[in-house]
Amino acid sequence: MPQADPSPDFALPHRFRYTPRRNLFESKLLRLIALTLVLLLCGAAILWKVEGQTGGSGLVIGMSLAVLPVPLVLAAFHWLDRVEPKPLRNLLFCFGWGSCAATLVAIFANTWATDLLVSHQISGGQTLGASLVAPLVEESAKGSAILLLFLTRRRDFSGIVDGVVYAGFTATGFAFTENILYLGRSVLDGRSEGRGLEVTVVTFIMREVMSPFAHPLFTSMTGVGFGIAAMTRRRWLKVLAPVGGWIVAMFLHGTWNASSSLGSLGFIGVYFLFMVPVFGLTVWLAVWSRRSELRTVGRQLPVYARAGWVSAPVPLVLSSMRTRRQALDLARFSDGPGGGRTMREYLGFATSLAFLRQRAERGLVGAEFPEREQELLHHLWERREAVSDVLARVGAQEWQRLNPPRRPAFGYGYPPGVPPQQPYGGGYPGAGYAGPGPGPYRPPGGLPAQPPPGSGYLLPHRGPQQPYPYQPQPHPQPVLPQQQPTRQPTAIPPEGQHPPVQPSP
């Protein structure tokens, strides 16, 4: 049965004007603008509050002096964060939260609580407010930034070092704004007493020379708690570790504030006998955690070296801060700033890949693991040719440093029971490691037929019988003395009878 022709009056529109509806709160740009406006409003409110208490000249002097230790403290946390640098947006958020939002909450809450204690005629209301109320309010306000990053930026929160770095940036911003207030007050009080310079110098020494790391030390305890929570699957530990770190932070903060009421001798005793050892222990924990991260990189990346995604020297180079710096310097020297940038990106992606695999082994990554892993592998594959030569040179140098060639006994051969020195390519310990976890892998876009000449990297799924592209030719095996019973050990072998022993490359 023939179909009827469509109506001549009906025609499709030339352009559709329908657009899908989007949730307003899902816009990242809108959330960024809103967060920035909130922090700017908090900063403006703090400046207005501080200017009312210190005056214009006190605000300028206090801000000029308070900014002096900030680069030093931030540089210390940046040095700690060199293995896997945190995103700049997270660090800026922590510093802005500490210097604006947390400080504003602390100013109003501390003032209200202290006035309440004094109005009820509680003995020692000022001391009680400084020892109990201020630690509770300030550590809660600073720790809320770490909590927000832990909940919303879980990918960028993988261990103790991350928690300490985020806590350090938050507390440094808080200390910066608080020092403006205290230094400005010292200028105003000193003028009223006729000794303005003396009071300001004493305040500067107490707050910025003797204790620039005081607030970062307190809040680092909270960061350690969240770092432990990021590394465990136990739900009870995920809750108790941050709470325990927050309690320790308040205890340290309260002890520090209370020491000012013990007199000069009591303050010095608390400073040297309690605070300095705790600070040293925290520094040791942070450095140990960073070394543990380097060991994780050296333990996880050999799987990808066996699959061919990275060359065999990569795990060795990335497991030491010294060889990382050598690779960056050599890439910058060989290829200029662009080469250094490419090498830095390669090191960052490889480190993130190692940490991702470790979290997957612990069961901390769900269904997003394959997608995230393929994304990181794709970035590494794109940069392999640009960094392979530099990594091979640095890796060979490091391997020779860790495995110096043995000298032959009596000028020829090796002593009994001593194996001959292996060349770098075949003797690399991580090339054949096939640890637990997902595998094998395929590169994006398929497998190339042959590597380009002199590329220095492994193709995926090269068989174990095939040599590595950068492996040197093995030297002849030496003849041990016990294999020639008819010769005397001290006799000089005739010329041409034994091949000369070549040193390891």
Side-chain angles (χ1 to χ4, degrees):
M1 181 177 180
Q3 298 180 355
D5 295 336
S7 174
D9 298 334
F10 176 77
L12 293 174
H14 295 286
R15 185 176 61 180
F16 292 95
R17 298 182 180 180
Y18 175 78
T19 56
R21 299 178 181 179
R22 298 179 180 177
N23 189 351
L24 184 63
F25 296 99
E26 293 180 357
S27 174
K28 294 183 179 180
L29 179 61
L30 178 63
R31 288 182 292 184
L32 177 61
I33 294 175
L35 179 61
T36 304
L37 289 178
V38 169
L39 294 179
L40 289 177
L41 290 176
C42 292
I46 289 175
L47 290 178
W48 171 76
K49 184 74 174 178
V50 173
E51 196 275 337
Q53 296 184 12
T54 63
S57 60
L59 175 63
V60 174
I61 295 175
M63 186 175 296
S64 302
L65 295 177
V67 77
L68 295 179
V70 172
L72 173 64
V73 179
L74 295 183
F77 287 102
H78 175 70
W79 172 85
L80 183 65
D81 190 36
R82 291 188 301 168
V83 176
E84 188 188 22
K86 307 301 172 290
L88 181 61
R89 61 179 183 272
N90 294 353
L91 300 179
L92 292 178
F93 164 75
C94 289
F95 188 84
W97 182 276
S99 59
C100 298
T103 312
L104 184 63
V105 172
I107 289 176
F108 285 101
N110 289 339
T111 304
W112 175 82
T114 303
D115 294 343
L116 181 64
L117 294 175
V118 173
S119 64
H120 285 74
Q121 298 181 355
I122 297 178
S123 59
Q126 294 287 347
T127 304
L128 188 63
S131 303
L132 295 180
V133 177
L136 173 63
V137 173
E138 294 178 8
E139 295 307 323
S140 301
K142 291 182 290 183
S144 57
I146 310 174
L147 175 62
L148 289 175
L149 288 176
F150 184 81
L151 296 177
T152 60
R153 298 290 180 180
R154 189 64 183 83
R155 178 185 296 182
D156 302 326
F157 213 124
S158 58
I160 293 178
V161 175
D162 297 350
V164 172
V165 171
Y166 289 142
F169 271 76
T170 305
T172 302
F174 185 91
F176 166 67
T177 307
E178 191 180 56
N179 288 337
I180 296 176
L181 178 60
Y182 279 92
L183 291 170
R185 285 179 179 176
S186 68
V187 173
L188 189 62
D189 296 341
R191 287 177 181 176
S192 61
E193 298 176 4
R195 50 191 185 96
L197 181 61
E198 179 182 354
V199 175
T200 304
V201 169
V202 171
T203 305
F204 177 82
I205 294 176
M206 293 294 296
R207 297 193 63 86
E208 300 194 12
V209 176
M210 296 185 64
S211 57
F213 288 92
H215 276 287
L217 173 62
F218 307 149
T219 314
S220 293
M221 301 296 105
T222 307
V224 170
F226 278 102
I228 295 175
M231 298 187 302
T232 182
R233 296 181 57 187
R234 300 180 178 90
R235 292 188 176 182
W236 61 271
L237 190 57
K238 284 182 176 292
V239 177
L240 291 183
V243 173
W246 172 64
I247 293 175
V248 173
M250 290 191 299
F251 173 75
L252 294 178
H253 198 160
T255 303
W256 174 256
N257 289 351
S259 64
S260 60
S261 61
L262 302 178
S264 301
L265 186 60
F267 172 78
I268 294 176
V270 171
Y271 181 82
F272 286 101
L273 299 179
F274 183 70
M275 287 298 172
V276 172
V278 171
F279 177 75
L281 182 62
T282 305
V283 172
W284 172 85
L285 177 62
V287 174
W288 176 86
S289 300
R290 194 180 74 167
R291 291 178 179 175
S292 178
E293 290 183 345
L294 292 173
R295 289 192 295 268
T296 298
V297 173
R299 186 173 61 252
Q300 297 294 340
L301 288 184
V303 169
Y304 300 98
R306 178 180 175 83
W309 283 99
V310 299
S311 57
V314 171
L316 181 63
V317 175
L318 267 67
S319 59
S320 169
M321 294 305 304
R322 182 176 55 83
T323 51
R324 282 170 173 253
R325 174 53 57 186
Q326 290 177 356
L328 283 172
D329 293 341
L330 183 58
R332 193 180 297 112
F333 177 79
S334 302
D335 302 325
R341 181 173 59 255
T342 303
M343 177 61 71
R344 186 180 298 106
E345 293 173 352
Y346 188 90
L347 297 179
F349 288 131
T351 304
S352 299
L353 181 63
F355 290 165
L356 178 68
R357 185 178 181 84
Q358 182 192 41
R359 293 180 59 198
E361 290 182 355
R362 294 177 176 177
L364 301 176
V365 182
E368 70 275 9
F369 170 75
E371 179 181 358
R372 176 62 175 163
E373 183 188 46
Q374 290 297 326
E375 177 185 356
L376 293 172
L377 289 174
H378 177 72
H379 290 308
L380 293 176
W381 189 261
E382 286 183 331
R383 295 162 176 81
R384 70 195 185 280
E385 296 183 6
V387 301
S388 58
D389 293 337
V390 172
L391 292 175
R393 293 172 60 183
V394 176
Q397 181 180 1
E398 181 67 8
W399 179 255
Q400 292 290 351
R401 188 187 71 85
L402 296 177
N403 303 270
R406 302 182 181 94
R407 299 184 61 180
F410 310 109
Y412 65 95
Y414 286 86
V418 178
Q421 184 73 17
Q422 295 291 334
Y424 169 70
Y428 181 70
Y433 173 72
Y441 306 95
R442 297 292 191 276
L447 299 175
Q450 294 293 334
S455 61
Y457 66 92
L458 296 176
L459 288 178
H461 305 287
R462 293 181 67 91
Q465 72 280 359
Q466 296 175 283
Y468 299 112
Y470 57 85
Q471 179 177 357
Q473 296 297 327
H475 57 73
Q477 295 295 332
V479 180
L480 299 180
Q482 68 271 18
Q483 295 178 354
Q484 300 180 10
T486 59
R487 297 182 53 121
Q488 297 296 329
T490 57
I492 300 177
E495 183 178 359
Q497 182 173 351
H498 297 283
V501 180
Q502 301 179 5
S504 301

